[in-house]
Amino acid sequence: METREPEVIRDKEAMRRWSRGMRSQGKTIGLVPTMGFLHDGHLSLVRQSLTLSDVTVVSIYVNPGQFSPTEDLSTYPSDFSGDLAKLAAVSSSGSVIAVFNPKNLYDYDGGRNKKTISGDGRGGGKVVSCVEEGGLGHETWVRVESLEKGLCGKSRPVFFRGVATIVTKLFNIVEPDVAMFGKKDYQQWRLIKRMVRDLDFGIEIVGSDIAREKDGLAMSSRNVHLSAEDRQRALSISRSLAMAKASAEQGQTSCKELKNMIISELVGAAGRIDYVEIVDQETLQGVEDIKSGVVVCVAAWFGTVRLIDNIEINVTV
């Protein structure tokens, strides 16, 4: 079957012209925001977007705005040519996919500042937390005040500020009708949905179920950094989440008991826990007893890799 190489667009004005050109033809536009190093989870989002829209834009951009000074964004894995090949295979049915791969969405000085981002969207030089050092002219941030505070926001205080800001930028540049987000990043998905509601973006936000490996591990670009031993140990995350859900469906409504079950499983597998929380699906506020829909969220370290996962529990008491 013949494959179709995606069109690569580097300039934001060119991206906007492309989108508006498609819209002038009566076509609807889907957006799948990514930081590259695509896996089957990303590709499932692309396939879903292709069913919901006429054309799909896949952004590939490692967003420096969501990394703190202690996080080295230059280590984020990258395989741009491999990403294009995977997208070409997905679009082999004749569907239209464009790749938006900007150089730096925070640089307003025309490249005169020496602190720049390399062409594949990866970090370079000493850029930290986007623009705190050096400026580059950017000083506007989007905050989702309540939803950004808990869960991953506790240990990554600038993360969701960076996510909300870059997604807003992508929405303003690509102007999509629908945007796809994976539920593995549950807090991010809920935060973007709230932002779109509050700021009146005319965009449908679709949350896609977590894509997993055959052994249950949630797909993530970070999995490549796991040693063979740590990868096996990391299976304790999905295993413990499934145990907690089964227990809740059998009548265990105490969140303390369910969290202790998960913690015991993770610690037994040599995991270092960042958090184990059971929160309301909409507000992400912690609950003590399950009375309606909740989501169990886990973040844990295995070796040098921080992994996140979650599972929704839809029981009512």
Side-chain angles (χ1 to χ4, degrees), residues 236 240-241 243-244 247 252-268 273 275-278 287-288 296-298:
S236 60
S240 66
L241 288 172
M243 290 168 54
S247 182
Q252 176 59 269
T253 62
S254 169
C255 292
K256 181 178 180 181
E257 294 297 325
L258 294 173
K259 287 193 289 186
N260 285 340
M261 177 191 304
I262 296 170
I263 290 170
S264 176
E265 191 76 13
L266 298 179
V267 172
I273 296 171
Y275 63 78
V276 176
E277 299 287 351
I278 301 178
V287 298
E288 295 184 358
V296 187
C297 299
V298 170

Side-chain angles (χ1 to χ4, degrees), residues 4 7 10 16 44 50 56 73 98-99 108 110 121 124 145 147 164 166 171 178 212 222 268 272 277 295 297 301-302:
R4 181 172 182 174
E7 179 180 356
R10 309 277 187 181
R16 189 175 283 117
S44 69
L50 290 171
T56 289
L73 66 122
V99 171
Y108 301 100
E145 298 288 346
L147 293 182
I166 198 63
F171 286 172
V178 60
R212 298 185 180 277
R222 299 179 186 275
R272 292 184 291 116
E277 299 287 351
V295 57
C297 299
W301 294 84
F302 286 86

Side-chain angles (χ1 to χ4, degrees), residues 112-134:
R112 293 183 295 274
N113 192 307
K114 292 182 180 180
K115 294 181 179 181
T116 60
I117 306 298
S118 59
D120 60 358
R122 292 168 57 87
K126 297 181 179 180
V127 175
V128 293
S129 190
C130 184
V131 295
E132 273 76 4
E133 294 186 5

